[in-house]
Amino acid sequence: MGREIERKFLVVGDDWRPVVEQSRRFEQGYLAITDDCAVRVRIDGEDSAILNIKNATLDVERQEYEYPVPLDDAREMLDTLCAGRVLSKVRHWVDYRGGIWEVDVFEGANRGLVLAEIELDSRDQHIQVPAWVGREVSGDPRYLNSSLAVSPFTTWGAG
C-alpha cells in the first residue's frame, strides 16, 4: 500500500534560495476531489507526467498512489478534464541537515504563497527545522493542493 508521511509549513523570507539544489515547474489539475480522495494529473517539468490518488485526510500520514501516464494524455486531461481545478508551481529542493525540503513557490491565482514540505520515514521522526520555515499548516485544509486549485490563496481575503 502506498503511504506518504509529510509535514507542511509556511515559508518566511528567502534565505532558502541560495541553497536550492534543483528546481522544476509543475502543472497539476484535479480530475476529482471528494470527501474521500483527490485524483490529480501532474506534468513534472517538460518530460514526464503522473496520475496521483491521495486520500483526503488532514493527517500527516496519508494513502498515496502514483502511476506514470503519457505526457500527451496528461496535457489533454489538464486541458479538457480539469477546468477550474488547475494550479502551477515551481518546486525547489533544499537539503538542510540531512532532510530534503521541497519548497513550492506557487504561481497564478496562488501567487505569493510559498510552502515547504518534508517527507518523513515515520510519524514521530525528529526534524531539524530551518530558520526560513514558519508556522506549520499540515492540519489546515486550505493548504492542500486540491483546495488551492479550487479556492486559490489570493481569494482568501483578510481573516
Side-chain angles (χ1 to χ4, degrees), residues 20 22 84-85 120 124:
V20 168
Q22 180 183 6
R85 297 179 309 273
L120 307 173
D124 58 353

Side-chain angles (χ1 to χ4, degrees), residues 71-101:
L71 190 56
D72 288 341
D73 289 356
R75 285 190 180 112
E76 186 173 345
M77 284 186 254
L78 282 172
D79 292 343
T80 62
L81 302 177
C82 300
R85 297 179 309 273
V86 177
L87 64 83
S88 298
K89 61 186 178 181
V90 177
R91 174 164 288 170
H92 307 275
W93 284 268
V94 177
D95 185 344
Y96 181 79
R97 297 189 179 176
I100 303 299
W101 289 82

Side-chain angles (χ1 to χ4, degrees), residues 10 104-107 110-115 143 148 153 156:
L10 294 173
D104 289 340
V105 178
F106 289 84
E107 301 174 337
N110 287 295
R111 183 173 306 282
L113 179 61
V114 182
L115 295 174
Y143 293 98
L148 292 168
F153 173 71
W156 295 358

Side-chain angles (χ1 to χ4, degrees), residues 112-124:
L113 179 61
V114 182
L115 295 174
E117 301 176 352
I118 187 162
E119 291 201 18
L120 307 173
D121 294 325
S122 67
R123 296 174 66 86
D124 58 353

Side-chain angles (χ1 to χ4, degrees), residues 7-152:
R7 291 176 62 189
K8 187 179 294 194
F9 302 81
L10 294 173
V11 171
V12 293
D14 288 328
D15 290 347
W16 57 273
R17 288 188 184 276
V19 291
V20 168
E21 295 187 350
Q22 180 183 6
S23 301
R24 279 201 312 270
R25 186 173 189 281
F26 291 158
E27 185 172 8
Q28 61 193 50
Y30 288 82
L31 301 161
I33 302 170
T34 71
D35 290 341
D36 297 320
C37 71
V39 181
R40 78 167 182 230
V41 61
R42 172 188 279 172
I43 296 177
D44 180 348
E46 295 293 322
D47 58 358
S48 66
I50 58 168
L51 183 68
N52 174 284
I53 304 153
K54 285 187 185 183
N55 69 322
T57 182
L58 288 177
D59 194 9
V60 296
E61 184 173 355
R62 306 189 315 167
Q63 291 173 274
E64 179 181 41
Y65 306 93
E66 292 187 330
Y67 307 97
V69 296
L71 190 56
D72 288 341
D73 289 356
R75 285 190 180 112
E76 186 173 345
M77 284 186 254
L78 282 172
D79 292 343
T80 62
L81 302 177
C82 300
R85 297 179 309 273
V86 177
L87 64 83
S88 298
K89 61 186 178 181
V90 177
R91 174 164 288 170
H92 307 275
W93 284 268
V94 177
D95 185 344
Y96 181 79
R97 297 189 179 176
I100 303 299
W101 289 82
E102 297 173 346
V103 179
D104 289 340
V105 178
F106 289 84
E107 301 174 337
N110 287 295
R111 183 173 306 282
L113 179 61
V114 182
L115 295 174
E117 301 176 352
I118 187 162
E119 291 201 18
L120 307 173
D121 294 325
S122 67
R123 296 174 66 86
D124 58 353
Q125 180 179 337
H126 175 74
I127 58 172
Q128 296 281 332
V129 179
W132 44 264
V133 168
R135 180 172 59 93
E136 184 165 7
V137 294
S138 298
D140 189 332
R142 296 176 302 166
Y143 293 98
L144 293 171
N145 283 311
S146 56
S147 295
L148 292 168
V150 192
S151 181

